[in-house]
Amino acid sequence: MWHDLMAVQIPIAEKILRTIAVYALILILFRLAGKRGLAGLNTFDMVVVFLLSNVVQNAIIGNDNSLLGGAIGAVTLVAVNSGVTRWLARDPRAARFLEGSATTVVKDGKLVPGALRDLALRPSELEHAIRVQNGDNVSGVARARLEPDGQLLVTLKAAEQSATRGDVEELRQRLESIERLLTELAADRRR
């Protein structure tokens, strides 16, 4: 029994190469699928992720069901992912190539023609993201863009943005000034 758990049934180099090849394939597939695939996992996306993991399992492990073989595959996946992540953090050109660039979907309160269609993004998803980020509708958005990591970043028009603490403090000071002026005017009238 212990021998079956620890005896790697295919060469370790093959297991590492299989894992790297499958990682690269999935990376390419997600890159081709586009940012929309990362934006928010709906039911269909979850089904694909679960099935995808099952489909590529044998490509990674081969004819090896050992505990050590699985550990080698897991360590390889984590190491490769860590290496790629660090590489992308240091090399903007590699990040642009592998992840893509941001896509503007709303500009000056209007949808960018074809952007939603190209990203396979539904208007309801865009509207939801706008509401989550304190907007009311597309017309109140200065700019919205889908980032390579799938996040939708919304910048509201200045008139649509919530008041900040600085805004409230400025208003408080202005009100105090008005109150002082009114008090002075009332005092002048009494004289």
Side-chain angles (χ1 to χ4, degrees):
M1 175 174 122
W2 289 106
H3 179 268
D4 290 339
L5 285 175
M6 300 311 250
V8 179
Q9 298 160 356
I10 63 172
I12 292 174
E14 180 183 339
K15 178 159 295 289
I16 291 170
L17 288 174
R18 284 171 169 265
T19 304
I20 292 170
V22 170
Y23 179 90
L25 173 67
I26 291 175
L27 184 71
I28 290 167
L29 288 174
F30 274 109
R31 176 65 174 101
L32 293 175
K35 295 178 274 269
R36 166 63 181 92
L38 303 173
L41 297 179
N42 61 31
T43 305
F44 304 109
D45 298 330
M46 292 298 289
V47 169
V48 169
V49 168
F50 287 134
L51 291 176
L52 185 61
S53 65
N54 193 44
V55 166
V56 299
Q57 175 187 354
N58 290 338
I60 290 177
I61 64 171
N63 292 329
D64 186 356
N65 291 322
S66 68
L67 178 63
L68 188 57
I72 291 169
V75 167
T76 302
L77 270 176
V78 170
V80 168
N81 189 59
S82 177
V84 169
T85 301
R86 292 173 194 277
W87 174 43
L88 296 179
R90 285 191 315 264
D91 188 348
R93 288 182 302 155
R96 221 175 8 265
F97 177 72
L98 289 176
E99 294 178 333
S101 57
T103 303
T104 300
V105 293
V106 177
K107 190 171 185 176
D108 297 325
K110 294 182 176 51
L111 293 174
V112 173
L116 294 182
R117 183 185 62 247
D118 293 346
L119 295 168
L121 194 62
R122 294 188 307 266
S124 62
E125 292 172 308
L126 178 61
E127 291 166 10
H128 174 72
I130 291 169
R131 283 191 304 279
V132 165
Q133 297 183 42
N134 296 324
D136 291 325
N137 53 42
V138 172
S139 65
V141 174
R143 181 176 173 181
R145 64 179 201 232
L146 188 63
E147 295 293 320
D149 65 358
Q151 278 191 317
L152 188 63
L153 297 181
V154 176
T155 304
L156 299 175
K157 292 179 179 177
E160 300 292 325
Q161 293 180 8
S162 299
T164 65
R165 287 184 179 156
D167 295 334
V168 172
E169 179 60 27
E170 181 184 336
L171 284 174
R172 189 187 62 74
Q173 290 174 0
R174 291 177 73 186
L175 284 172
E176 284 178 1
S177 296
I178 292 170
E179 286 175 345
R180 270 194 309 275
L181 286 172
L182 289 172
T183 304
E184 289 172 10
L185 282 173
D188 286 347
R189 282 193 174 170
R190 279 186 249 155
R191 289 188 215 157

